[in-house]
Amino acid sequence: MRTTGLVGFLFLSVAAVGQFNYTIKQGIPVEENGNVLTMPWAGGINAAQFNTIDLNGDSKDDLVVFDRTSNKLFTFININNQYQYAPHYESLFPPLTHWVLLRDLNCDGKKDLFTSDPFGMVAYVNTTRPGQLLSWRPYDPGRPILTKGFTSNVNLQLNASDIPVIDDIDGDGDLDILNVRFVGIGTIEYHKNLSMERTGTCDSLQLERITQTFGNLEECQCNFAFGGEPCPTSGGRTQHAGGKAMLTLDTDNDGDKDLLFSEETCTALSFLENKGTPETANMDSFTTFPASNPINFMIFPAAFYEDVDFDGKPDLIASPNVYARTFTSAINFKESAWFYKNTGTTALPQFTLQQKNFLQANMIDVGDYAVPAFFDADGDGDLDLFISNYADVAFASRIRFYENTGTPSEPAFSLRSEDFGGFSSSPLFNLKIQFADLNADGRPDLVFTGTNMFNGQTTLAFLPNKATTGINISGQTVQAVSVSIGQQENILIYDLDQDGKPDMFIGKANGAVQYWRNTGSTQPAFTLTNASYLGFGATTDRQNPTLAIGDLNADGRADLIVGNQRGELSIYSDIRAQNPVVGLTQIIYNPLTETSESRNLGARVWPAITNLTNSDMPAIVCGTLTGGLLYLKNTESTGLPPVPVINLYPNPVGRNATLTLETDQDMTVEFFSMIGQRISVPHFVPANQPFQVAVSGMAAGIYLARFSWQGKTVARRFVIN
């Protein structure tokens, strides 16, 4: 009997995993102000760090973006010199925190990885082999990077907010490191790599601290002292508050590294020209940078030097290096990635501002803390999209309204209003919206929580809907609901007891989930019924959980989604029957690894359940801390034909030509010889976009392209002649 029970449990568990398995999609088109977004569902960007690396083994640089506010990595592949969001590569990276720099540590032509560690910094060596997925190993397992100090090796320690320099400072071919001193005065330490001197190769980190006064300068809180002069004091103390971010580049082709420097409490980026030598640097003045349209954020700008426009010359990209927004730093998170094109040369770069919303211009990005809600606003039978945000630069929340101009099964969204309901003129920020009938008149109302900027109180309220079909809130008075919640706590309105009156759930700051039953009649009156619904009590592992309830697997029963502060989703099936609660977290299917994963989807993620494609199982649309949306489609949903449409052309293809692939679904493709030998790594092929493969170097003959999607595979032949 025990065995039978275990088998039954395992069967049910496997079945549940299959029913709650999702892929991250981009296929639903979105238009904003006449522009069709190329990757609308990529999740938004706040505080970005930019690095290039070959993700898919096609010998072309792709893009990796680490967002500090969400502690999340975004991966973009280069398709025909355009970036496309490719989230499947994200889980191939090791754990990351605070900052990420990709540099070739061992001179093998592959970029390795450096990131923060509680004891300084750590490195991971790129161990990827031809025909394999991206892989890494710790450079020195279990230990942070070391440097020789005054007498012996010590941790190369830096503040968590700092971004160091990892570059060949002395021009001998190996990587050196610059960092601002961990404690004490704001001078720069130079750690020389002696790998070349000792072994004649540049394949390791053999660091020795040469000086603690590199550049002969001291940072003085948005100013500098030069030539050994101390910083001025304020109140008897030298001020060195906040983190530091640095970048080196040779702007004048004189063989030494100049310095870009920023400090956490400052708005501008400072340029310091090196008037000394590569190893004995000397700086004696500073200016803002670039000279034309200088980088300037409300707080802590950081710059990165990568070729992001595919012309072979590294460009300059800047973003605020913040971990969170504050009242005193109302950063415009909709325009927080400034792209300066290198209009000069690699040797003598010149930087010209092109846009302030690099990548963001191609995705939905409402700033930060995006909260999606779906409702048929115009009564035409399909679901429209609403998104609220935390605040804009004036610290006012707004609601964006996107009309569904497609059909119930083939949606397409067009931006119709950036301030639906006129909330920008109210004193509210931290707006979180949903639709529910709170006044018992049979019409869903616009329900929201918001924080009043004058008294700091967060309240639940609604605007009554006076339309028979669709939504009409014009001229309506805000109706407050007597509920006490914290600023970061989250409310879900849902009729749990099925008495026709919507009840309330609260995701509490301490991680608990409360259930409040609606005991009112024409107006809501909520009574606390369960302070730890389904056993969700206080825990340090979960704060301010976000909630969504709906029938996810088409079994007629209500399922619960819980999002946590790390951006992870958990699904609890048939919540009216579960006791104790058992959740599924490995719900994001990765076609590259053919496994299901738990994933950081954007920190403090906000899930909404919606059936946009008239399929048998609804999708999950997640709002992210970074201000965007992710669209998660159930892998068992029948919204697309079971047999995909795949085109390969020209076929046959010439040996020096390019093979183009087109599919109607997101897939991966691998190439094989006719005897079954794998000759490529998996490549991600986005739906409905030409994907080109250079076949130069391949012998004439017959080959197979194997396409994989949602755990299924299909092969297509092609000929090289």
Side-chain angles (χ1 to χ4, degrees), residues 340-602:
Y340 292 81
K341 178 180 175 63
N342 185 352
T343 53
T345 65
T346 300
L348 290 170
Q350 295 290 325
F351 300 111
T352 303
L353 179 63
Q354 301 294 299
Q355 62 184 119
K356 295 184 177 182
N357 56 352
F358 176 64
L359 298 179
Q360 297 168 299
N362 296 316
M363 59 180 75
I364 295 173
D365 193 333
V366 299
D368 57 347
Y369 291 93
V371 174
F374 293 88
F375 184 69
D376 184 3
D378 48 11
D380 64 352
D382 53 33
L383 292 172
D384 306 298
L385 169 63
F386 297 80
I387 314 170
S388 62
N389 70 345
Y390 188 83
D392 58 18
V393 290
F395 234 89
S397 280
R398 297 171 183 263
I399 299 175
R400 280 197 196 181
F401 166 52
Y402 295 79
E403 181 189 357
N404 187 345
T405 56
T407 68
S409 58
E410 295 184 359
F413 293 105
S414 295
L415 179 64
R416 294 293 185 246
S417 174
E418 296 195 54
D419 191 17
F420 180 84
F423 279 84
S424 66
S425 61
S426 78
L428 296 178
F429 67 96
N430 186 32
L431 200 64
K432 302 170 186 176
I433 60 170
Q434 56 192 295
F435 290 92
D437 181 13
L438 281 189
N439 58 2
D441 65 355
R443 295 176 290 207
D445 308 304
L446 177 59
V447 182
F448 58 91
T449 59
T451 304
N452 190 301
M453 69 174 63
F454 297 116
N455 59 25
Q457 293 183 350
T458 302
T459 56
L460 171 66
F462 66 97
L463 279 166
N465 180 10
K466 62 184 183 182
T468 304
T469 59
I471 184 91
N472 184 356
I473 56 174
S474 62
Q476 297 290 72
T477 302
V478 172
Q479 305 292 312
V481 180
S482 179
V483 175
S484 177
I485 59 171
Q487 180 176 325
Q488 297 301 321
E489 294 180 338
N490 304 303
I491 283 180
L492 171 67
I493 304 298
Y494 180 81
D495 183 8
L496 180 69
D497 58 7
Q498 298 177 307
D499 65 352
K501 297 179 293 186
D503 306 307
M504 178 178 68
F505 297 83
I506 304 179
K508 300 293 289 181
N510 64 3
V513 175
Q514 295 181 346
Y515 166 54
W516 295 65
R517 186 169 179 267
N518 187 350
T519 57
S521 53
T522 59
Q523 293 295 320
F526 296 112
T527 302
L528 180 60
T529 305
N530 190 334
S532 299
Y533 177 70
L534 290 180
F536 286 102
T539 173
T540 57
D541 188 57
R542 178 184 62 244
Q543 296 100 41
N544 304 299
T546 54
L547 312 166
I549 296 177
D551 183 5
L552 291 171
N553 57 353
D555 65 353
R557 301 170 183 175
D559 309 305
L560 170 69
I561 306 175
V562 178
N564 65 22
Q565 74 277 9
R566 295 184 300 275
E568 302 159 339
L569 294 182
S570 301
I571 293 180
Y572 304 84
S573 64
D574 193 6
I575 56 174
R576 292 190 178 94
Q578 280 216 29
N579 188 19
V581 66
V582 179
L584 298 171
T585 58
Q586 310 291 318
I587 62 171
I588 308 298
Y589 180 72
N590 189 331
L592 293 177
T593 61
E594 299 183 345
T595 60
S596 293
E597 308 164 340
S598 177
R599 190 84 70 83
N600 175 7
L601 298 173

Side-chain angles (χ1 to χ4, degrees), residues 83-160:
Y83 289 122
Q84 291 294 329
Y85 183 48
H88 315 305
Y89 295 93
E90 294 168 1
S91 60
L92 303 181
F93 283 78
L96 309 171
T97 184
H98 295 306
W99 57 267
V100 177
L101 294 174
L102 298 178
R103 304 288 188 264
D104 188 358
L105 182 158
N106 53 6
C107 298
D108 64 353
K110 297 180 294 188
K111 286 191 175 181
D112 308 297
L113 186 150
F114 296 79
T115 190
S116 176
D117 180 83
F119 300 101
M121 67 174 76
V122 291
Y124 293 86
V125 177
N126 187 338
T127 56
T128 309
R129 295 182 179 180
Q132 294 184 351
L133 294 175
L134 195 66
S135 62
W136 312 87
R137 66 168 174 82
Y139 172 72
D140 192 357
R143 295 202 301 181
I145 291 173
L146 303 177
T147 185
K148 183 179 179 182
F150 294 116
T151 58
S152 61
N153 283 346
V154 295
N155 295 3
L156 203 166
Q157 188 66 274
L158 64 158
N159 293 297

Side-chain angles (χ1 to χ4, degrees), residues 550-700:
D551 183 5
L552 291 171
N553 57 353
D555 65 353
R557 301 170 183 175
D559 309 305
L560 170 69
I561 306 175
V562 178
N564 65 22
Q565 74 277 9
R566 295 184 300 275
E568 302 159 339
L569 294 182
S570 301
I571 293 180
Y572 304 84
S573 64
D574 193 6
I575 56 174
R576 292 190 178 94
Q578 280 216 29
N579 188 19
V581 66
V582 179
L584 298 171
T585 58
Q586 310 291 318
I587 62 171
I588 308 298
Y589 180 72
N590 189 331
L592 293 177
T593 61
E594 299 183 345
T595 60
S596 293
E597 308 164 340
S598 177
R599 190 84 70 83
N600 175 7
L601 298 173
R604 301 197 179 278
V605 65
W606 187 286
I609 299 170
T610 182
N611 195 338
L612 292 176
T613 57
N614 202 24
S615 58
D616 54 345
M617 296 185 188
I620 304 170
V621 174
C622 292
T624 67
L625 182 151
T626 47
L629 302 182
L630 294 174
Y631 175 58
L632 279 59
K633 185 177 184 295
N634 193 305
T635 59
E636 293 193 358
S637 171
T638 58
L640 289 172
V643 179
V645 177
I646 299 173
N647 292 314
L648 289 77
Y649 61 89
N651 190 9
V653 59
R655 291 184 61 185
N656 296 317
T658 298
L659 179 68
T660 299
L661 316 177
E662 286 189 4
T663 69
D664 68 340
Q665 302 183 38
D666 290 345
M667 296 184 169
T668 57
V669 64
E670 295 177 273
F671 297 101
F672 295 82
S673 68
M674 285 302 292
I675 61 173
Q677 180 183 13
R678 180 186 282 114
I679 57 176
S680 79
V681 297
H683 296 274
F684 174 66
V685 182
N688 304 310
Q689 297 183 40
F691 183 90
Q692 294 184 335
V693 179
V695 298
S696 58
M698 296 174 64

Side-chain angles (χ1 to χ4, degrees), residues 38-51:
T38 58
M39 43 186 176
W41 310 93
I45 289 173
N46 281 355
Q49 301 170 13
F50 298 88
N51 292 273

